[in-house]
Amino acid sequence: MCIFCKIVNGEIPAYKVYEDSDFLAFLDISQATIGHVLVIPKVHRETIVDLEEENKIFAVVIKLAKAIKTLPQVEGINILSNNGPVAGQTINHFHIHIIPRYIDDQMQIKFSENKLSPEKLTLLSNQIKKKSSV
Ligand code: 5GP
Ligand code: ZN
């Protein structure tokens, strides 16, 4: 059983901040910044593509983001989810990081830049559109 399933069933402890019948949220053990929270579905699902589109996890993320935004000195929030080892996922139970941001905190998220041609961008947008439209 994965470590997050063990947190869900109480086998290992966690500092819980929210719980309902479907979701659990608790402090990340590593606290990338102060107040770093993880939100998970109680059922074991490996990545975001294993969830139903109707999944309500983002309602919980929004609720918690609103709560975290009221903590002292919180100026912003990063919402992050690593899906797959290549994306940096280390626990294979889907989770969303809520990471409060403070002036001059040491947290770093860096996007690389790829300058694509208009043709390539058109092709790419069409490929995704075709797969996502109902
Ligand atoms: P990932 O790298 O998969 O996106 O994030 C996994 C997160 O789970 C990491 O930020 C790590 O600190 C956190 N984590 C790993 N083991 C535990 C644990 O036993 N308890 C808690 N609360 N967090 C954990
Ligand atoms: Zn699990």
Side-chain angles (χ1 to χ4, degrees):
M1 185 183 291
C2 94
I3 203 157
F4 288 176
C5 283
K6 286 183 179 165
I7 289 175
V8 169
N9 73 18
E11 262 182 74
I12 65 169
Y15 292 92
K16 296 178 184 177
V17 299
Y18 177 84
E19 183 164 18
D20 65 26
S21 53
D22 297 321
F23 304 106
L24 181 65
F26 50 90
L27 296 182
D28 190 295
I29 207 159
S30 292
Q31 293 292 283
T33 65
I34 305 304
H36 179 184
V37 160
L38 299 174
V39 186
I40 65 169
K42 285 187 168 177
V43 290
H44 184 93
R45 295 285 181 269
E46 199 159 324
T47 72
I48 193 161
V49 299
D50 301 310
L51 301 182
E52 304 281 324
E53 288 175 25
E54 293 73 20
N55 191 287
K56 294 281 192 290
I57 195 165
F58 259 90
V60 177
V61 172
I62 292 167
K63 186 192 292 288
L64 285 164
K66 287 175 192 280
I68 287 167
K69 185 68 174 50
T70 68
L71 295 178
Q73 277 92 53
V74 171
E75 298 283 337
I77 298 174
N78 287 114
I79 304 297
L80 178 70
S81 178
N82 302 319
N83 289 263
V86 74
Q89 184 173 11
T90 58
I91 305 285
N92 73 345
H93 184 132
F94 176 69
H95 51 281
I96 298 175
H97 296 261
I98 304 178
I99 304 173
R101 300 301 305 270
Y102 302 86
I103 303 287
D104 294 331
D105 66 31
Q106 297 305 303
M107 176 77 192
Q108 286 182 3
I109 296 174
K110 189 167 169 7
F111 290 101
S112 44
E113 272 185 54
N114 291 300
K115 292 262 178 270
L116 300 186
S117 66
E119 292 76 19
K120 181 74 188 158
L121 291 169
T122 302
L123 182 68
L124 194 53
S125 59
N126 284 335
Q127 282 174 322
I128 298 172
K129 205 184 307 178
K130 211 159 57 184
K131 298 279 188 187
S132 61
S133 52
V134 283

